[in-house]
């Protein structure tokens, strides 16, 4: 009996080791019948802290913020369609952009005077911002631009970037505007989901080629998967990424698992075509 208990104990320790150090186990399989949760692939406790230490430039919001979990739950639901989806998607994107702003340089030693003459300590952004919305479809750009306009400071420069991919894998970016002194700005990029991280990396390389330091770029998104996040950290380790959720994988259909489905298709169902007057930025946009 005692020998049997020791054997069970060894099996338990082996299972725990598999869970902590990333071995294969039943709970890590991507089957249709299972129930997923954001960040589960990273584990909890020591394993999660170890992952955070290796990926210091990635912030996963719904691990710590209930308001983000509530918003992501709404947009994940299949029955959230049409105007409801657009409303809920805009709301959670505004939340993510607000959290992304908190990652930018700030002056935390500010004293302001209220309209009634009272003085109060506070903090404010200590930078100019170039806000960029990225999408493959020009149809949804007006809404994404409005999200940025609602959240970013009024003196921010806004631009929409349409993503196109050529047969050779080279990405072409069509941008509406860019500041003359782009290198003097903090760049905040809003892209609804990151299934294919190569397009984001390609745009970051484009910005770097035009004088923007990679540590002055912040990417805000609703969801990314582990493989994309690992590649992002490997290639753009100086660039910050703020994501609402962190999902398990990219499925064979190209969608994130569990993800939010085809975001642009769901979003564009009720949005009129209001594409930007874009400038071709394709000359230097190949992902590396």
């Amino acid at each position: 009996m005692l020998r049997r208990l020791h054997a069970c104990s060894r099996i338990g320790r082996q299972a725990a080791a598999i869970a902590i150090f990333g071995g294969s186990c039943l709970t890590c399989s991507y089957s249709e019948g299972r129930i997923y949760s954001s960040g589960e692939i990273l584990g909890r406790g020591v394993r999660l802290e170890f992952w955070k230490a290796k990926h210091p430039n990635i912030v996963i919001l719904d691990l710590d913020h209930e308001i983000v979990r509530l918003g992501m739950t709404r947009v994940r639901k299949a029955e959230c369609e049409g105007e409801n989806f657009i409303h809920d998607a805009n709301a959670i994107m505004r939340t993510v952009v607000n959290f992304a702003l908190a990652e930018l340089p700030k002056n935390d030693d500010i004293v302001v005077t209220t309209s009634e003459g009272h003085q109060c300590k506070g903090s404010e952004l200590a930078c100019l911002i170039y806000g960029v919305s990225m999408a493959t479809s020009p149809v949804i750009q007006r809404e994404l631009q409005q999200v940025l306009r609602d959240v970013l400071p009024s003196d921010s420069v806004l631009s929409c970037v349409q993503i196109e991919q050529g047969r050779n894998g080279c990405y072409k970016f069509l941008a509406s505007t860019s500041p003359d002194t782009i290198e003097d700005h903090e760049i905040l990029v809003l892209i609804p989901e990151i299934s294919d991280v190569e397009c984001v990396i390609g745009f970051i390389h484009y910005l770097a080629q035009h004088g923007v330091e990679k540590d002055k770029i912040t990417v805000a998104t609703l969801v990314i998967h582990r493989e994309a996040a690992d590649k992002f950290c490997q290639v753009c380790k100086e660039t910050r990424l703020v994501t609402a959720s962190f999902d398990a994988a990219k499925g064979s259909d190209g969608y994130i698992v569990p993800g939010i489905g085809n975001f642009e298709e769901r979003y564009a169902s009720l949005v009129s075509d209001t594409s930007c007057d874009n400038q071709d930025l394709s000359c230097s946009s190949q992902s590396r």
Side-chain angles (χ1 to χ4, degrees):
M1 180 66 178
L2 186 59
R3 187 178 304 164
R4 191 176 305 166
L5 289 174
H6 284 316
C8 291
S9 176
R10 285 197 302 273
I11 293 172
R13 288 196 298 270
Q14 290 168 357
I18 289 173
I20 292 174
F21 294 108
S24 60
C25 59
L26 182 61
T27 58
C28 294
S29 61
Y30 309 127
S31 60
E32 291 185 3
R34 60 168 297 200
I35 298 175
Y36 296 90
S37 63
S38 172
E40 66 177 11
I41 198 71
L42 306 179
R44 293 293 184 266
V46 174
R47 183 182 173 192
L48 177 59
E49 295 306 314
F50 180 72
W51 186 92
K52 288 181 178 180
K54 290 185 64 177
H55 303 77
N57 58 323
I58 294 185
V59 178
I60 306 171
L61 297 174
D62 66 359
L63 296 182
D64 301 306
H65 302 285
E66 184 66 26
I67 188 66
V68 178
R69 284 193 290 271
L70 289 170
M72 285 302 296
T73 300
R74 289 196 295 269
V75 298
R76 287 187 194 272
K77 292 167 64 174
E79 57 267 33
C80 183
E81 299 176 324
E83 292 181 353
N84 290 334
F85 180 77
I86 293 173
H87 175 273
D88 291 339
N90 285 351
I92 187 61
M93 283 192 290
R94 290 189 189 99
T95 300
V96 173
V97 172
N98 267 310
F99 275 107
L101 283 178
E103 299 296 317
L104 302 185
K106 299 181 294 296
N107 186 340
D108 293 322
D109 193 23
I110 291 293
V111 176
V112 298
T113 303
T114 71
S115 59
E116 298 299 319
H118 306 297
Q119 290 191 320
C120 183
K121 290 183 178 180
S123 61
E124 65 180 5
L125 292 171
C127 57
L128 297 171
I129 298 176
Y130 175 38
V132 181
S133 60
M134 293 186 69
T136 58
S137 169
V139 175
I140 70 173
Q141 285 288 6
R142 185 178 69 173
E143 293 288 332
L144 298 182
Q145 285 284 288
Q146 188 60 50
V147 168
L148 293 176
R149 192 173 292 110
D150 289 344
V151 178
L152 299 186
S154 58
D155 60 353
S156 301
V157 178
L158 300 184
S159 175
C160 52
V161 172
Q162 183 179 340
I163 308 166
E164 295 182 1
Q165 184 177 15
R167 294 179 180 178
N168 61 352
C170 177
Y171 283 93
K172 181 166 67 174
F173 305 109
L174 306 175
S176 57
T177 59
S178 62
D180 294 333
T181 55
I182 189 173
E183 67 277 4
D184 295 334
H185 291 67
E186 288 282 335
I187 316 297
L188 196 153
V189 181
L190 171 62
I191 180 168
E193 58 178 336
I194 302 178
S195 175
D196 182 4
V197 74
E198 297 295 339
C199 67
V200 179
I201 293 174
F203 187 60
I204 291 172
H205 282 313
Y206 165 80
L207 293 172
Q209 290 166 358
H210 286 74
V212 178
E213 297 178 7
K214 289 185 178 181
D215 63 358
K216 296 183 71 173
I217 304 171
T218 301
V219 179
T221 189
L222 296 184
V223 62
I224 191 171
H225 58 91
R226 182 175 64 174
E227 182 182 353
D230 288 344
K231 180 66 177 291
F232 183 89
C233 282
Q234 177 185 353
V235 179
C236 304
K237 57 185 177 182
E238 305 96 338
T239 300
R240 296 174 293 271
L241 188 145
V242 179
T243 180
S245 296
F246 191 102
D247 282 2
K250 181 178 179 179
S252 57
D253 57 2
Y255 298 148
I256 297 175
V257 178
I260 50 180
N262 187 328
F263 178 92
E264 293 195 16
E265 184 177 287
R266 296 175 71 192
Y267 198 93
S269 60
L270 292 178
V271 177
S272 59
D273 188 351
T274 54
S275 56
C276 300
D277 183 13
N278 289 331
Q279 173 188 359
D280 191 341
L281 304 181
S282 59
C283 55
S284 304
S285 63
Q286 186 166 5
S287 177
R288 298 175 183 175

